[in-house]
Amino acid sequence: MFTSSLWNLGSWANAFTIIGVCIPLITAIIGVSKYIKKTKRKTIFSDSKPDIAYFTDRIEITKDIFEELQSSNGRQMFQIFGPPGVGRTEFAKLINMAVNYNCQTQDEENFINSTGYKKELNVQAFFITCEDESSYQMAVKQIFELLLIDREPGLSYALTAHLIAKKIRNKKRTVFIFDDIKNYDEKDKFYKLCNEIIGKLKKMNLNSQCIFMLFYSGAVERKEINNSNIRTSDILNFEKDYMIEYLDKKNISLNDTDNDKLFSLTNGNIHTLSLIADKYNADINNEKMNSINWEHVTDIFYQDINDDEKRLFRCILSLSISKNEVSRKMLESLNDSAPDTIRKQLDKLVIEGLLRKNKNFSYSVTEALLLPSINKEIEYIQYFQNKILDLVQQQKLFVEHKIVHEFIQSIETDVKAKHIINTLKINNDAKDYTATLRIRYLFKNVFVLKEQIEHHNEVDSVLFFEKLSYYIAEALTGYGAYQDAIEEIEMNTNHSIVRPDTVSSDNFDIVFLLGNLYHLQNEYAKAIEHFKKMIDSTHVRQSLKYKSKCYWAVAHCYRHMGLLDLAIDFYKESIEICKIDTVQTRDIYIKCMNEMNNIFFYRNEKQPFSFNTIDSFIKEENSVADLSTNKYKAIEHGIQGNFDKGIHLLEKTIKIYEKKSERLQFNLYFEMGELLRRKKDFKQSIDYFKKSLDASLLNGDKNIELYSSLGILSVELETKQHHFTNSKDEQYQLLEHCLGLCKDKDENVCFELGKQHVGTILNILNNKEPSLYDKMLPLF
C-alpha cells in the first residue's frame, strides 16, 4: 500500500533548464490515441496541443507524475486542483501528448525527453472534457464513443466497467484524463468505476493497468481523500521568477519595477498573464515589448464577462468599501437575479481572476485589482451606496462599518460632514480605529474623494479636511504607526510650525498630537519647543485643562530624556494647575502623580503620592488612567520583590489593552520582560523583550527599542547564553546600536539616562562589574 501524499505543483525551488532552442507557440492538432478493434484501426484526435510555456516552473512535478505513471505499482487515480487559469488543462494536454507520444515537432520531443519520460509501446491516453456538472455521465458517454462501445450510458458500474475492460485489456496501460470536472461530489462515481475496471482486468488474469486522472475546475475547492490509491495534487500560480521567464517566452521583457507591479496585479496567474501578453505583445519585427499600458490593463479582466456579470462585480466592489469579504447572501439582497444565477456568475468572476473564493464561502476582490477597480467604477459605487444604506437602515443587510459607506458618497451638506466627524470621534474614543483606517485607505488611494472633500471647505468654522486628518492621525497613533501619523498631519494641515496665535480650542487636539508624536519618535528637543510654544498661546493659558496638559507633556519629555530634576519641576507645575479643578484635569492629574512617583521609584526614594490617593481619582473601570496606573503598581511590586503580583496585574492589563487596540500594550511587553528577568524566568522574559522590540521596530519608538535591547543583553549576560545575538562581537554591536539610539539626528546625546544604562551593560560585558543587572531598567 502507498501512503497518501500531497504534491505542490507551484512551489518547486529549482527550475529545470529546457535543453534546446526557445520553444515556440504550438498550434498544430494533436492526436490523442490509437486503438484496434478487430482489424479496424481508429485514431482519436484532440483539438489542441499544450502550450509548453505553461510548464516553465513545473518540470520537476512533470517528472514526478510521469515516473509514477510508468511505475508498475503506481496510483490508480489522481485528483488535481488549482486556482482558475493556472494551467490545469494545459497540464492535462501535456500528459495526453506524452503518453500517446504525439510530439509533432522537435521542440516538443525535446521537452518530453527533458522530463525523463521514456516512450512506451502499447500504452494509450484518452483526453475527455467534462462540459457540465454531470461530469460522470458525460465522461462515460465519451469513453463509449472513443472505444466504439455500442451502448447508451446509464448502465450499472459493473456492466460499464466490463465493457470498458474488454476494450482496453490488450493494452499495457490505459490513462483516462478527465478535464474540467465541475462537481467534486462526482469523484465517488469515478473512483467506483475505476475500481470496477481494475477488478474486471484482474478477473481476466491480465496485467493491464487502468489509471484515472481527474482535473477539477478552478471553482472547485481542494479536498484530499484519505486513500492510498488516490493522489491529490495542486497546480499553483507562477512564482515571480517563473512569471518573468514565461513573459520572455511571450516576447515581453519588463524592468524590475514593472515586473513587481505585474506580479502584484496578477498574483502570477497564468491565464491573466497570457491575456496581458497577447494584448500588449505587438510582435513588431520580432522585437521584445518592454512596456505595458497600465492605465488600460485592468480592462483585460473585463473582456470575457457580460454586462450582468459586470454589474455583479460592481455590487461586490460597492460592498468591499467596508468589508474585505462579501458573502453570497449579501449579494442576493442587492441583486435581483436568482441565487443559482448569482452562483454561476460568481464562478465566472473567479475564473476570470476578478475574485478570490474564500474558505468560508465568501468572495474577495483580487487584491491588486481592488483599488484600480474602485477608481474605475467610483461613480457607480457612490450611486450604489444609497441602496446599501437603505437596506442597512431596514436591517436587511449588515455591513462592517456603515460610516465608511457614508463617507464614500459625495459630502454635499454640513450636516453629513458633522455626522462623519462625530462618528469618527466616537470610534476613536472607544479605541476602535478600524473604520477610520479604512477611510484613510480609500481617501489616500481613490483620487476623486480628495477632490470632493477639498471642494467642501468649512464645517462649523473648522475645516472638515483638518478634522478628518486629526482622527486619521489618532488612529495611526493608536496602532503604533507614529511616522505615518506625523506625515498625515504635516502634509494635510499647517500645524507643523506653531505660533502662539495659531493655537485655538478648535485645533488644540491636532497641534498637541503632533507634539506628542515628536516625543514618541524621540525627537525630544523638537517636542519640548513645540509644547512650550503652545503654553505661550492665549487660548492655552486661559484653559486649566490645556495648560496642565502642555506642562505635563514637557515634563514627560524631560523624564524620557533622563533629565529627571527638570521633569519634576514641570510635573509639579502641572499638578498645581490640576489641583484648581481636579474634575476638568483628572486624567492629567493621575498621569502626573504616577509618572512623578516613577522617578522616585527609580531613585529608590519614597514616592510623594500613595496609590490610595491616585485610586480615589479613578472613576471609570478600565479607563486609560486606571490601566496606566496598573503599570506603575506592577513596577512597585517588582521593586518590592512581589514579582507574581506584578506579573498578574500586567497580564490582566495587556489583555484589556489588546482588546481595545491600545498602543500602550507595547510598553507593557517591556515591563513584563523586566519583571520576568528579575524573577529569573529568563525564557519568558526573552519572549516579552522580543515582542517589545518588534513593536518598537514597527512604530519607530526608539525608547522602547533601546530598553528592549538592553533587557535582552542583561538576560544574555546573566545566563551566559545567546538568546538573540550569536556572539560576543554581536553583543558589542548591539550595544553600539543602543548608544546610537540615545543620540539625535546630529549625533548629540539627547537621552543621558539611556547612555548611562548602555555604559553599565558595557562594563558588565567587559567584566568590570558583576555579571548581572539587579535593578529595574526604567522605560521612561
Side-chain angles (χ1 to χ4, degrees):
M1 298 290 287
F2 287 86
T3 57
S4 181
S5 61
L6 171 65
W7 291 353
N8 188 331
L9 290 151
S11 62
W12 310 292
N14 298 317
F16 187 93
T17 304
I18 298 174
I19 301 170
V21 298
C22 180
I23 303 171
L25 289 173
I26 303 161
T27 55
I29 296 177
I30 176 175
V32 174
S33 61
K34 296 180 181 181
Y35 70 92
I36 300 174
K37 181 182 181 184
K38 295 183 181 178
T39 59
K40 181 178 179 181
R41 179 179 297 272
K42 180 177 175 67
T43 302
I44 310 302
F45 291 98
S46 77
D47 59 0
S48 62
K49 299 188 64 151
D51 181 348
I52 298 299
Y54 275 65
F55 307 101
T56 300
D57 64 342
R58 295 174 180 149
I59 193 75
E60 291 300 325
I61 201 61
T62 305
K63 286 180 176 181
D64 204 12
I65 284 185
F66 284 169
E67 183 178 329
E68 179 128 3
L69 283 175
Q70 293 190 297
S71 171
S72 59
N73 56 354
R75 297 291 195 278
Q76 66 188 38
M77 196 164 97
F78 299 81
Q79 55 175 16
I80 300 172
F81 298 88
V86 78
R88 293 175 317 284
T89 296
E90 297 299 321
F91 202 92
K93 292 174 183 176
L94 174 71
I95 293 171
N96 177 67
M97 181 179 76
V99 172
N100 291 316
Y101 220 86
N102 284 333
C103 305
Q104 296 180 2
T105 71
Q106 188 61 49
D107 287 333
E108 290 175 352
E109 193 160 335
N110 287 343
F111 181 80
I112 296 299
N113 290 337
S114 72
T115 67
Y117 185 81
K118 293 179 173 55
K119 184 176 181 179
E120 292 183 286
L121 297 175
N122 205 26
V123 297
Q124 189 168 30
F126 293 94
F127 184 86
I128 298 162
T129 300
C130 303
E131 295 178 353
D132 55 34
E133 291 202 358
S134 58
S135 305
Y136 174 76
Q137 290 298 330
M138 176 69 68
V140 170
K141 181 178 179 182
Q142 289 186 59
I143 290 172
F144 279 13
E145 290 175 354
L146 292 168
L147 296 178
L148 298 182
I149 297 173
D150 190 17
R151 299 290 291 269
E152 288 294 322
L155 304 173
S156 67
Y157 290 109
L159 183 52
T160 301
H162 176 75
L163 294 171
I164 293 172
K166 282 179 64 178
K167 292 290 185 178
I168 67 173
R169 61 183 177 179
N170 293 323
K171 294 291 181 185
K172 174 183 176 183
R173 184 181 305 109
T174 305
V175 181
F176 291 98
I177 301 164
F178 305 98
D179 184 45
D180 202 26
I181 298 174
K182 297 176 178 63
N183 185 352
Y184 183 72
D185 293 336
E186 295 270 277
K187 61 103 177 33
D188 293 328
K189 298 176 182 178
F190 284 103
Y191 183 57
K192 190 168 184 179
L193 178 61
C194 187
N195 274 340
E196 288 281 353
I197 294 171
I198 292 169
K200 299 298 182 187
L201 291 170
K202 286 181 179 177
K203 283 185 178 181
M204 297 175 189
N205 292 319
L206 299 171
N207 291 323
S208 178
Q209 288 183 324
C210 176
I211 296 172
F212 276 22
M213 302 194 77
L214 278 56
F215 286 78
Y216 290 95
S217 164
V220 175
E221 292 185 26
R222 183 195 190 285
K223 295 182 181 178
E224 188 168 3
I225 303 172
N226 186 20
N227 187 315
S228 62
N229 291 321
I230 299 177
R231 192 152 198 170
T232 304
S233 314
D234 287 323
I235 302 179
L236 302 179
N237 292 347
F238 276 162
E239 295 177 7
K240 189 170 73 173
D241 288 347
Y242 297 124
M243 178 200 78
I244 293 170
E245 188 174 335
Y246 170 77
L247 291 175
D248 185 67
K249 293 180 184 296
K250 292 288 188 178
N251 223 25
I252 293 178
S253 179
L254 306 176
N255 61 36
D256 291 343
T257 301
D258 282 350
N259 276 323
D260 289 343
K261 190 171 182 180
L262 186 59
F263 185 73
S264 175
L265 182 67
T266 64
N267 197 32
N269 183 276
I270 194 163
H271 175 66
T272 308
L273 287 168
S274 65
L275 290 175
I276 292 171
D278 291 344
K279 181 175 180 65
Y280 291 104
N281 183 3
D283 199 23
I284 301 172
N285 298 323
N286 288 323
E287 293 182 3
K288 285 187 180 293
M289 295 291 294
N290 54 21
S291 64
I292 284 181
N293 187 336
W294 295 105
E295 291 182 8
H296 303 299
V297 75
T298 51
D299 291 336
I300 289 171
F301 291 85
Y302 275 8
Q303 68 182 37
D304 290 330
I305 62 174
N306 60 35
D307 289 342
D308 290 338
E309 291 159 349
K310 191 177 295 184
R311 184 180 186 278
L312 181 65
F313 180 63
R314 287 167 172 162
C315 289
I316 295 170
L317 279 177
S318 300
L319 290 166
S320 295
I321 293 303
S322 69
K323 289 177 70 74
N324 289 327
E325 299 184 359
V326 178
S327 69
R328 194 185 299 168
K329 187 174 181 180
M330 294 180 72
L331 291 169
E332 288 171 4
S333 66
L334 287 173
N335 202 300
D336 297 332
S337 301
D340 190 56
T341 301
I342 292 175
R343 181 183 60 77
K344 289 180 179 178
Q345 290 174 343
L346 287 169
D347 288 346
K348 178 70 174 295
L349 293 173
V350 168
I351 289 171
E352 295 303 323
L354 288 156
L355 298 182
R356 299 269 188 266
K357 188 176 182 181
N358 306 311
K359 290 183 178 179
N360 57 358
F361 302 105
S362 66
Y363 295 83
S364 301
V365 178
T366 302
E367 185 176 353
L369 274 177
L370 181 61
L371 289 173
S373 299
I374 290 175
N375 275 296
K376 182 182 180 67
E377 303 288 358
I378 186 61
E379 290 184 12
Y380 179 91
I381 291 169
Q382 287 182 317
Y383 164 78
F384 206 66
Q385 300 310 309
N386 291 325
K387 186 172 184 180
I388 290 174
L389 292 168
D390 284 345
L391 289 170
V392 171
Q393 185 70 27
Q394 298 169 39
Q395 297 186 336
K396 294 180 180 179
L397 180 67
F398 172 77
V399 295
E400 200 75 11
H401 297 285
K402 180 183 173 186
I403 185 63
V404 184
H405 293 270
E406 293 172 333
F407 176 81
I408 204 74
Q409 291 176 308
S410 298
I411 300 174
E412 297 172 349
T413 65
D414 289 357
V415 173
K416 182 172 181 180
K418 287 179 182 178
H419 166 70
I420 290 172
I421 291 300
N422 288 337
T423 304
L424 294 184
K425 181 182 185 306
I426 292 168
N427 289 349
N428 282 24
D429 288 347
K431 308 299 180 186
D432 182 0
Y433 305 120
T434 310
T436 308
L437 293 178
R438 188 73 177 182
I439 283 174
R440 185 233 184 192
Y441 171 76
L442 294 167
F443 179 59
K444 185 177 178 181
N445 294 291
V446 181
F447 315 117
V448 71
L449 293 180
K450 195 164 187 176
E451 293 175 3
Q452 288 176 352
I453 290 171
E454 286 173 346
H455 286 135
H456 186 86
N457 287 327
E458 292 194 1
V459 179
D460 195 21
S461 301
V462 178
L463 288 176
F464 171 76
F465 192 55
E466 183 173 291
K467 283 193 171 184
L468 179 64
S469 289
Y470 167 67
Y471 287 114
I472 288 173
E474 271 273 282
L476 290 166
T477 305
Y479 269 103
Y482 302 151
Q483 189 56 46
D484 286 344
I486 289 174
E487 290 174 3
E488 177 69 32
I489 297 174
E490 290 185 339
M491 289 177 63
N492 295 324
T493 75
N494 60 358
H495 298 310
S496 55
I497 300 175
V498 178
R499 298 182 184 87
D501 58 341
T502 61
V503 183
S504 68
S505 57
D506 288 321
N507 64 24
F508 177 87
D509 287 339
I510 192 168
V511 177
F512 185 88
L513 176 59
L514 183 58
N516 194 38
L517 286 164
Y518 293 149
H519 162 237
L520 288 170
Q521 290 288 84
N522 287 26
E523 296 184 54
Y524 299 123
K526 190 173 183 179
I528 289 171
E529 181 186 7
H530 187 90
F531 289 130
K532 285 183 175 180
K533 285 181 179 178
M534 291 184 71
I535 290 173
D536 290 338
S537 166
T538 302
H539 283 90
V540 171
R541 288 200 303 268
Q542 291 174 348
S543 167
L544 293 174
K545 180 179 179 180
Y546 292 161
K547 190 176 180 181
S548 64
K549 194 169 185 177
C550 288
Y551 272 99
W552 162 78
V554 175
H556 198 40
C557 289
Y558 280 134
R559 176 167 158 262
H560 274 247
M561 293 173 73
L563 302 176
L564 303 183
D565 289 331
L566 274 173
I568 289 172
D569 290 342
F570 275 87
Y571 278 128
K572 286 181 177 179
E573 192 73 37
S574 182
I575 286 171
E576 291 305 312
I577 298 168
C578 290
K579 286 179 180 178
I580 299 171
D581 187 345
T582 56
V583 174
Q584 187 182 165
T585 62
R586 183 172 59 87
D587 282 354
I588 298 300
Y589 196 11
I590 292 170
K591 285 181 179 181
C592 285
M593 288 189 286
N594 273 320
E595 291 170 11
M596 192 166 166
N597 272 354
N598 199 31
I599 293 174
F600 286 84
F601 287 160
Y602 174 70
R603 288 178 166 179
N604 202 23
E605 299 172 8
K606 184 179 179 181
Q607 62 268 31
F609 307 100
S610 71
F611 281 118
N612 287 336
T613 300
I614 296 171
D615 287 342
S616 68
F617 287 96
I618 297 173
K619 304 298 183 186
E620 178 190 349
E621 186 180 359
N622 291 341
S623 68
V624 172
D626 180 14
L627 296 172
S628 64
T629 302
N630 288 351
K631 167 185 168 180
Y632 298 105
K633 287 180 179 177
I635 291 172
E636 184 177 40
H637 285 314
I639 290 173
Q640 294 171 350
N642 299 321
F643 300 118
D644 289 339
K645 282 186 177 180
I647 289 167
H648 176 73
L649 188 56
L650 287 183
E651 284 176 339
K652 168 188 166 185
T653 310
I654 285 172
K655 286 179 182 177
I656 298 170
Y657 275 166
E658 288 175 343
K659 189 174 181 181
K660 292 161 71 76
S661 296
E662 172 58 61
R663 67 178 178 82
L664 292 175
Q665 64 181 281
F666 304 145
N667 299 42
L668 296 193
Y669 291 152
F670 168 81
E671 302 297 353
M672 276 289 287
E674 220 0 40
L675 286 177
L676 290 162
R677 178 184 75 84
R678 297 196 67 218
K679 187 186 174 184
K680 299 192 183 302
D681 185 346
F682 298 119
K683 185 177 183 300
Q684 281 204 77
S685 173
I686 284 290
D687 288 343
Y688 274 99
F689 282 141
K690 286 180 178 177
K691 275 187 178 183
S692 177
L693 182 61
D694 288 345
S696 73
L697 296 176
L698 179 67
N699 59 38
D701 192 317
K702 293 180 181 178
N703 202 295
I704 296 179
E705 183 182 358
L706 169 66
Y707 278 106
S708 300
S709 301
L710 293 177
I712 288 170
L713 285 169
S714 298
V715 172
E716 290 193 344
L717 293 173
E718 185 165 355
T719 60
K720 294 181 171 57
Q721 293 179 354
H722 292 284
H723 301 277
F724 183 77
T725 63
N726 294 311
S727 65
K728 194 166 184 176
D729 284 344
E730 287 191 12
Q731 289 176 331
Y732 279 115
Q733 290 171 15
L734 184 56
L735 266 180
E736 185 69 26
H737 177 67
C738 287
L739 182 60
L741 294 172
C742 300
K743 299 177 181 179
D744 59 23
K745 294 177 181 177
D746 297 323
E747 291 297 306
N748 299 313
V749 174
C750 62
F751 187 21
E752 190 62 44
L753 189 64
K755 180 187 174 183
Q756 292 174 22
H757 286 108
V758 171
T760 301
I761 302 299
L762 179 61
N763 286 337
I764 296 173
L765 186 58
N766 288 332
N767 299 317
K768 293 181 179 179
E769 291 188 13
S771 62
L772 61 94
Y773 184 82
D774 60 355
K775 298 179 182 178
M776 290 288 285
L777 284 167
L779 179 59
F780 288 151

